[in-house]
Amino acid sequence: MIVDNPQATFTGTWATSTSLTGFYGANYQTNTKGTGKDKAVWAVNVPTTGTYQVYARWVAASTHASNAPFTVKHSTGSQTIAVNQRVSGGQWMLLGSYTFTAGTAGSVTL
């Protein structure tokens, strides 16, 4: 399953763009403030309890965060992974494998 920016909930100012290559879908959303206060949350609706691999994708640029914190909320807690968004743009990058309970309790937050 893929949860993209149209299904995300955003806090703060996130501009929609297509100016950089490597995004999935029709566009991507970006936050240029860099304060760490704004958030993007992708709720995960898991059909069956089990272990799932969680990937993230971004567009890379030298001005993007070198330590963007992705937090995966799963059935036994949460895990934060720092991602360098200056490299590896346009690729699905593995954040890890996590156990999720069926339903909508899981999420990924940036």
Side-chain angles (χ1 to χ4, degrees):
M1 76 186 94
I2 295 176
V3 183
D4 199 14
N5 57 310
Q7 293 85 35
T9 302
F10 295 92
T11 302
T13 304
W14 293 78
T16 300
S17 183
T18 58
S19 64
L20 297 174
T21 62
F23 58 88
Y24 176 86
N27 55 42
Y28 63 94
Q29 287 184 251
T30 183
N31 179 294
T32 58
K33 297 204 184 255
T35 65
K37 293 181 181 179
D38 296 343
K39 295 188 185 327
V41 180
W42 295 268
V44 181
N45 188 358
V46 178
T48 305
T49 297
T51 301
Y52 294 84
Q53 292 181 318
V54 177
Y55 290 83
R57 185 178 179 136
W58 54 86
V59 294
S62 62
T63 57
H64 291 180
S66 62
N67 60 346
F70 281 85
T71 301
V72 179
K73 181 181 171 193
H74 49 86
S75 63
T76 60
S78 64
Q79 177 74 39
T80 300
I81 304 94
V83 169
N84 184 351
Q85 293 185 322
R86 295 177 182 176
V87 297
S88 303
Q91 303 174 54
W92 291 106
M93 302 299 293
L94 182 64
L95 299 180
S97 295
Y98 304 95
T99 301
F100 291 91
T101 303
T104 59
S107 65
V108 176
T109 300
L110 170 61

